[in-house]
Amino acid sequence: MKARIGGLERTALRIAAAAIVVVMTAVSALAHHSFAMYDHTRTITIRGEVTKFQWTNPHAYLEVDVKQKDGTIKHYSIEMTSINMMQRLGWRSNMIKAGDLVTVTVSPLLNGEAGGLMLDVTLPDGRKLEPGVPAVNTFKRTPEDLP
């Protein structure tokens, strides 16, 4: 004997299934755009020479070599936001070139590696740009000496 589901119950099941799909999709999207790997309690400021500006999806990257006080070079890999977001803010793929000297405010990686999330960059011509980090106000800016 088959159990029959009435019209009202069938509609309720469809709504519940749709709600589950929406919630799971939202959770997945939020997980992809997590900034949990970065230290929200402090920033570092680096000044160095660009080795590569990677204009790619899903995120752009800036590679920078920074000369340390002892004369050694420390390489930083700095994540940015999506190029779609950056284009809306006026960024273009040719704005930064290898060899450019830039100053970058970074939310550092929690694991201590040389890298982080770009909060802003000052270009060689003095223009200061932000890549459009969502909830940027949750990152506490701290004064720090340039290396």
Side-chain angles (χ1 to χ4, degrees), residues 10-139:
R10 189 174 303 132
T11 300
L13 284 173
R14 286 182 181 153
I15 290 171
I20 289 170
V21 168
V22 168
V23 168
M24 295 307 290
T25 302
V27 168
S28 174
L30 287 173
H32 171 78
H33 291 96
S34 173
F35 293 121
M37 69 183 81
Y38 302 110
D39 188 344
H40 288 237
T41 66
R42 68 186 182 95
T43 55
I44 59 172
T45 303
I46 62 170
R47 180 170 171 74
E49 183 177 335
V50 173
T51 59
K52 185 177 184 182
F53 179 39
Q54 187 175 330
W55 186 260
T56 56
N57 277 315
H59 296 251
Y61 281 86
L62 185 64
E63 306 290 330
V64 180
D65 282 344
V66 178
K67 188 172 185 176
Q68 303 299 294
K69 291 178 183 175
D70 65 3
T72 61
I73 300 293
K74 189 173 191 176
H75 182 78
Y76 284 81
S77 183
I78 303 164
E79 184 175 5
M80 302 162 81
T81 56
S82 72
I83 59 173
N84 183 10
M85 173 80 74
M86 293 170 63
Q87 283 177 319
R88 285 189 242 157
L89 294 171
W91 284 76
R92 298 295 175 259
S93 62
N94 62 354
M95 293 179 89
I96 301 176
K97 298 170 191 61
D100 284 352
L101 292 177
V102 295
T103 303
V104 189
T105 305
V106 176
S107 175
L109 286 164
L110 286 170
N111 67 6
E113 291 180 14
L117 177 67
M118 178 191 287
L119 301 179
D120 63 55
V121 61
T122 303
L123 302 177
D125 65 7
R127 285 183 294 159
K128 190 173 193 173
L129 299 173
E130 294 182 359
V133 173
V136 72
N137 60 335
T138 65
F139 293 87

